Amino acid sequence: MSEPRTLSDPARGRAGPRDERLTRTLQFFKGVGPKKFELLQRLLLETVEDLLFFFPIDHKDRASLTPIDRLTPGMEANVRAQILDLHAKTIYHKGKHRVEALLRDPSGEIRAVWWNPYVADKLSQSAWAFFTGKVVTNKKGFLELAGPDFEILAREEEEDDSPAPMLPLAAHALTPTAPPPVVQGPDFGRIVPIYNLRPKQRRADGTEAPEVKLSQPVLRKLVWQALESGAPDALSDVLPVALQKRRGLPALPEAVRQFHFPPSFERRDAARKRVAYEELFLLSLGVGLRRAQVASRTASRKLPVTETIRKRIEARLPFPFTGAQARAFGEIAADLARTQPMNRLLQGDVGSGKTAVAVAGMLSAVAHGAQAALLAPTEILAEQHARTLHALLEGSRVNVGLLRGGRAKKQRDVFLERLGSGDVHIAVGTHALLSDDVRFKDLALVVVDEQHKFGVEQRMALRAKGSAPHVLVMTATPIPRTLSLTLYGDLDVSVIDEFPPGRGEVLTRWVKEEDRSKVYKLIIDESRKGHATYVVLPRIDGDAAESVAPAKSGKLWNEIKGVEDEVKRLRAHLPTLRFGMLHGRLSGEEKDAVLKQLRGGQIDVLVSTLVVEVGIDLPTATVMLIENAERFGLASLHQLRGRIGRSERKSYCVFFAETATEDAEERLKAFARTRDGFELAEEDFRLRGPGQFFGTAQSGLPELKVADLFRDRELLMQAREDAFALLARDTKLELPEHAGLKQRVRQIFAQRLGLVDMG
Ligand code: ADP
Ligand code: MG
């Protein structure tokens, strides 16, 4: 299969000769025919080794079985019994569905009751099954199993892919058959594993694939066979023994065995910990190697910020730095004074004044006769930056050039010519600055704004433009600590944790549809004070172009609204206000015109897509109205809110949302509750995980199979400490005893993290 291999993937390519015990394909296992093999492949299971690393997502305690005649009320019991009689009925007056089964084992009989109609489809009469649940006394005084979990016991696993015959639900009881022989098997008499039967790969339309039609008992049996064959002993353990000892981790073969079939939950946890640790350790090694690699590049140019330069810069800025800005700039200045390239992340909430700090850095480069580049994720932001720079540097000898996409070739050529000759000192642009034909005369500092919008590869590409430029990346998206240690683990971090003075309060409210008119009244009131409003919608085109009367019907709002329709609707509704529209389909000129009007105070309400997320800095904007807020991630919502409250005026962030899921609900509640970007980031991360947080493709993080950056924070700290200590002794993993480690790290990271020249 061509699926990219993940971190704890079956160790294809682990050092050492491949052992037949590991490479054997599952096709030759007892009970696996072509059909079953195909199902296994969908779970990316082809070899014994794949199976060994297919770890359970949960375990169930089936250590003790209770014969039916020993059940007592209140007990949580495991019963192994045959289904003699199965009834499903709807209790109409309560609107409930009741499913009832009569269970029998050699010692006696008991009823099990579920209030869930679907249970009936999964049970079949005469089947033997496991039931785990609470024993209760029913109204008539009989014992009953209340809604037990169950699992149909595997029939003999011949290659028999035809579904089990479903007997019609009948009132007559069957004659009991003998129970399957009781052996200490994979399914009972112990803690048993539960595997995830859902394939990793999503379907073409992005939805999750359904579970494959394999049962837990089938998988357990296969894993059991694999373990019995001694395959785990053939695994080469790349984790240094000294580390295993120090951290009290079991050896790999033992961990693999006990992760699947643990003798106790404590041992299960120890086994899981060992596997998670290894993932985090390898991840940290990759991060550490990347860090070392960057540091060992050819020397950068020294750009010391002398007292004279500092004074000149300060004179240029229209305000004194806040304490936090001064501290951050101090750290940057210290980096710039060295030949080792700066590799720093400047983190600060929206509006905390990162740009000003970056400008100071760029001016330091220019003061030394070198060039600087400022890279922004969108044209709008690039233009905003260029404008800010022009304004700041008016009357100075510093030339700022903006490289725009989609402009006439002639203009572009002129720009490139000036850049190549060194006439443009500070180049601003989008990723267009990364094009091959863009050449600098002497690029000494690269600043990347809104770093999380760029991929690792892009960061690498810009770095390649200068001989070894200093790099400063900026982000307003607060990065959860565990991520900053992994994804950005190779960067030094400066934090701006203080806002410039004079920031007004921002009220955030989740508004109900009934109160829509109040929101419009607020917009009108604010416009009378000369304040502007942003209205943000998820799309350019809405769902229902023709149905446009939501204010009255109050129920149509569930559809997704689009910018084009909303402008029309709002115009009709609020005829005294002046509207503008902004979205990705407008040409650069059209966007310019709109933004100019907005800044000139000729627009009261700007209706827009997410393009306003970054880059617009309009102090008079005091209202942010977000429609279909459930469609936006927390990071975007937070950025949107950052567009207002940019002066001492009081501002209002109001949003409409219809949430279908609990996660969405939690997300929006968190957004309404706090304006603290860090708190929101942790929340987002908790709810959605690292992949979603940054977009898997961009994150540059290999997927973790077992470790969880949230749950395993402590373990990450340990693994990181150990990995960095190991690299301190063996910077390039050249010692023979680290050969296996090196190969694993290479296999996992070489492409993803740009460790191209790793020996
Ligand atoms: P960020 O890039 O972190 O979102 P900006 O650099 O765009 O923030 O700054 C937000 C606003 O605050 C801008 O209008 C900027 O001019 C202003 N600003 C920045 N630093 C200061 C300061 N020290 N004192 C007063 N205003 C500041
Ligand atoms: Mg900014």
Side-chain angles (χ1 to χ4, degrees), residues 257-275:
R257 282 204 170 87
Q258 300 194 343
F259 201 158
H260 289 286
F261 289 100
S264 69
F265 281 99
E266 290 73 46
R267 300 296 280 278
R268 190 270 313 261
D269 292 345
R272 183 195 167 277
K273 182 176 160 194
R274 147 78 211 219
V275 176

Side-chain angles (χ1 to χ4, degrees), residues 635-693:
S636 289
L637 290 171
H638 183 60
Q639 287 273 4
L640 287 174
R641 180 165 49 191
R643 294 306 110 212
I644 55 171
R646 296 177 84 87
S647 66
E648 55 301 317
R649 300 167 181 85
K650 181 168 180 179
S651 296
Y652 307 86
C653 177
V654 290
F655 61 92
F656 292 97
E658 171 106 324
T659 51
T661 66
E662 220 164 271
D663 275 10
E665 174 108 14
E666 274 192 62
R667 196 165 76 223
L668 293 173
K669 281 190 176 152
F671 176 62
R673 187 177 62 236
T674 177
R675 202 182 159 194
D676 181 331
F678 275 90
E679 211 180 309
L680 288 175
E682 291 284 347
E683 182 73 11
D684 204 19
F685 186 53
R686 187 178 68 76
L687 289 171
R688 303 198 298 161
Q692 298 299 315
F693 192 80

Side-chain angles (χ1 to χ4, degrees), residues 34-167:
K35 257 194 183 161
K36 210 158 270 171
F37 187 60
E38 203 232 291
L39 293 175
L40 288 166
Q41 278 179 314
R42 270 199 247 159
L43 294 173
L44 304 183
L45 301 175
E46 286 178 37
T47 66
V48 171
E49 194 168 24
D50 295 336
L51 201 57
L52 293 182
F53 286 85
F54 186 70
F55 293 115
I57 47 167
D58 200 1
H59 287 84
K60 283 219 149 70
D61 190 353
R62 297 249 176 91
S64 59
L65 270 187
T66 310
I68 289 178
D69 67 351
R70 302 256 188 85
L71 295 175
T72 53
M75 201 174 181
E76 281 285 341
N78 291 312
V79 169
R80 181 164 160 272
Q82 189 176 21
I83 302 165
L84 288 193
D85 191 10
L86 191 57
H87 277 292
K89 59 180 165 210
T90 306
I91 304 202
Y92 287 102
H93 67 280
K94 286 187 184 158
K96 283 182 163 178
H97 303 274
R98 178 183 160 98
V99 176
E100 195 181 296
L102 180 65
L103 314 180
R104 180 197 188 111
D105 75 1
S107 78
E109 289 180 3
I110 188 169
R111 283 195 185 276
V113 175
W114 295 265
W115 294 96
N116 174 356
Y118 303 106
V119 166
D121 301 337
K122 294 185 180 156
L123 292 169
S124 55
Q125 211 148 221
S126 88
W128 278 85
F130 258 107
F131 300 87
T132 302
K134 189 157 185 156
V135 182
V136 298
T137 314
N138 70 13
K139 281 188 199 136
K140 291 178 191 154
F142 293 111
L143 289 187
E144 199 172 272
L145 272 176
D149 270 358
F150 58 88
E151 187 177 282
I152 305 290
L153 280 177
R155 275 165 277 270
E156 245 336 274
E157 293 304 329
E158 304 305 327
E159 170 71 5
D160 172 16
D161 288 308
S162 56
M166 260 294 276
L167 297 181

Side-chain angles (χ1 to χ4, degrees), residues 503-578:
R503 288 303 145 111
E505 189 192 351
V506 177
L507 271 183
T508 305
R509 289 273 185 284
W510 184 342
V511 199
K512 296 294 161 218
E513 195 55 35
E514 305 89 87
D515 293 329
R516 186 171 280 278
S517 55
K518 288 190 195 153
V519 172
Y520 290 157
K521 178 160 184 309
L522 170 72
I523 294 175
I524 293 172
D525 289 348
E526 286 296 300
S527 78
R528 292 216 175 102
K529 296 184 212 158
H531 298 167
T533 291
Y534 297 109
V535 176
V536 176
L537 303 114
R539 296 203 205 140
I540 302 179
D541 303 306
D543 277 345
E546 62 284 357
S547 53
V548 269
K552 267 170 226 126
S553 81
K555 206 50 226 163
L556 277 169
W557 70 296
N558 201 2
E559 82 227 8
I560 309 300
K561 293 194 169 179
V563 171
E564 301 261 0
D565 298 336
E566 192 64 7
V567 168
K568 283 191 212 133
R569 207 184 63 76
L570 286 171
R571 271 212 174 101
H573 231 75
L574 304 167
T576 57
L577 300 184
R578 296 160 302 167

Side-chain angles (χ1 to χ4, degrees), residues 348-355 381 384-385 449-450 474 476 614-615 639 643 646:
D349 215 334
V350 186
S352 61
K354 296 182 294 296
T355 314
L381 185 53
Q384 168 86 36
H385 279 323
D449 197 9
E450 302 301 338
M474 307 197 285
V614 288
Q639 287 273 4
R643 294 306 110 212
R646 296 177 84 87

